[in-house]
Every structure is written in structure tokens, then in C-alpha cells.
Amino acid sequence: MDVPMGKRRMPPSLWWMLPGVIFSGFVAVRRAGIAVLYKPASLPEGEVRRDICYREGSEDEKHRLDLFLPPGTGWPILIFVHGGGLASGDKGLRVGGADVYGNIGRFYAGQGIGVAVINYRLQPKVTWRQQAEDVAYATAWVHSHLGEYGGDVGRLFIGGHSAGAHLAARVALDAVPLAQLGLSPCMFKGVIAVSGAGLDLSDAMTYQLGAKLRHYEARFRCGDPTDKWKTEASPIMCAGSAAPPFLILYAQGESKPLQRQSNLLHEALQRKQIPSELVVVPGQSHKRIVLTLSRPDRTAGPAILRFIGLSQ
């Protein structure tokens, strides 16, 4: 007797194929998004500086950044932190032949904004604290050196996508990482958090909506036998009245837990009377939204340009 399609089961002899099938489908979806949304931005190669070491004496390839430089002088500066769940990702990420983060650098440099796209060490090699430390070191290097290239270090912004938004928010709200380098979050003119994850790890509703506690435990518990890690690792808990303005973006098609995390950050900043703008990007998902950051004709790109332009 035929089994209805919805009830058919894969024979055990074919189970070994399942991960490959899922991965192939995932790659196909990402490549489809690239084909629809990726719009190459142009910038003369002479205006790009690649693989600059931002941590003196380090030979780790993750202590590197790429610079995308506009012409002239006095331009604002954006530090961009890539996503990847804290355990993957790279500033040189290519999907379907498209350099996702390099295109972000070229796009904003073409709009008169200097961009530093940075790497940081990945878990499990290091902890989240060391990752925040890496972002702080990259920030310190940019603050010390971008003036030599023509940038205005008094107009410094930091942003990131997903895990990168988490790290950008951490360094902008928690005084400790930059204080160790003699600097302060007050140096930032603004923060751009795109589809941020793990912003408030103590929020029970986020897990009720479907976020996997074990996913965040693996990245943030760090051997803590108590639940203190949930507050210690949450950038939201560091928000004080002196924090810089925020632009918070998330995709309309974002998962409910991630939507809630962005909203929680926006609400926490507002309670502290910190300027915060929340933008929901229509028609996009958690992964696809990053492609719209380098488009002048989509919601996210123009919102970021306005934010940087109005926060001088």
C-alpha cells in the first residue's frame, strides 16, 4: 500500500545523506538571496587596505581588519563586526562569489564614510569576553590611526550583524573592554545593531518563543555553575545614561526570539533616555538583511546613512 507523501519516512540506509541534503538546500537558499539582493558596490582597489594587524605583536590572522577609504578628508568612520554565532564567520566571507562584508565596506566608502571591517577570534578557541576584547583592540587601532588616512576620529561609529551586533553593543555599552586600553565608549557617536542576538540572555520570554537555551549556554556560560552568566553576558545590562545613540534594525521575517531581543534593547535604551531608533526591514530574513546594508534602494542602507549623517 502506498504511504501518503506527508507520512513517508526515509529508509535508515539513507539517513547518512540527510546532513548533505540539508546543507545543499541551505547553500541554495543563500545563493538565491545573493542573486536577488547582492548589488556590487565599486571602489578603486587603491582605496582598500587589507589584512592590517590591529593588535600589536599578534600573529593571529583573526587580529586583522580591512579598510575602505573614501576620497578627501574629515569623513566619518564605521567599524563593522561580522556575524556567525560567535563561532564562525570572517571579514572576507564570500557566498556564491559575492564578498558580503567587503561590499558593505565599498558601499559606505562610496558614500563618503570610511569603513573598517574587522575580524575577531572565534569560539571555542576563546570566550565571549576575549571576543569583546578583540573588538575593543580593533576600535582602539581605528581611533589611533584612521586620522592618518583622512578620517575624523571624532565621528566614530560601530555596528554589526547578529553576533557582530552583540559584540558591537557590548563594547559600546560596557566600559570595561575599552577602559583596559585607556578609552571609553563615549568615543562612539553611534551604534548600529542589525538583527542582534543574545542582547538580554536573562529574558525568559525569549526562550518561551523558541530560542534554544543550550545554544546560548554553549557560548556564554563559561563554566559558571549559577545563572549569573545570563546577566553578565548581556549587553543590555550595561546600558547607562552616558551610552551613545543606537540605530536598531531587524528583518520583518526574523524569528520571534530575535525580534524580541532587538525590541528589548530599544526599550532598555529608551528607559535610560538614550536616543534609540528602531527600524523593521520589510521582506527580509535574518540572513538576507545583511545584503541590504549595501543597497541604496532598500530600507536598511538609507537608514544607516541617515543615522551617520544626523549623528555628527
Side-chain angles (χ1 to χ4, degrees), residues 113-237:
I113 299 165
V115 182
V117 180
I118 73 168
N119 267 348
Y120 53 91
R121 291 171 294 171
L122 302 175
Q123 296 186 24
K125 182 179 178 180
V126 296
T127 68
W128 65 266
R129 290 183 175 86
Q130 291 168 296
Q131 292 178 305
E133 180 183 276
D134 282 353
V135 176
Y137 266 94
T139 299
W141 188 93
V142 169
H143 185 260
S144 295
H145 294 280
L146 261 289
E148 301 167 11
Y149 293 90
D152 180 357
V153 296
R155 297 165 66 196
L156 180 63
F157 297 78
I158 188 168
H161 170 250
S162 191
H166 172 98
L167 290 171
R170 184 84 204 190
V171 172
L173 294 175
D174 181 0
V176 173
L178 284 172
Q180 296 172 349
L181 301 172
L183 298 171
S184 164
C186 293
M187 68 196 298
F188 295 118
K189 284 295 183 183
V191 185
I192 301 161
V194 183
S195 299
L199 300 169
D200 185 354
L201 295 159
S202 68
D203 179 61
M205 180 58 69
T206 295
Y207 302 109
Q208 293 173 23
L209 288 170
K212 304 300 182 185
L213 178 59
R214 63 179 179 273
H215 171 89
Y216 291 105
E217 282 184 306
R219 286 154 176 78
F220 297 107
R221 182 180 283 278
C222 299
D224 186 347
T226 72
D227 279 342
K228 289 182 180 179
W229 65 272
K230 292 180 180 179
T231 55
E232 290 179 355
S234 299
I236 267 181
M237 302 302 174

Side-chain angles (χ1 to χ4, degrees), residues 4 14 16 41 44 67 72 90 112 153 184 220 227 251 271:
L14 298 181
W16 64 274
L67 295 179
D90 189 88
V153 296
S184 164
F220 297 107
D227 279 342
R271 286 195 298 271

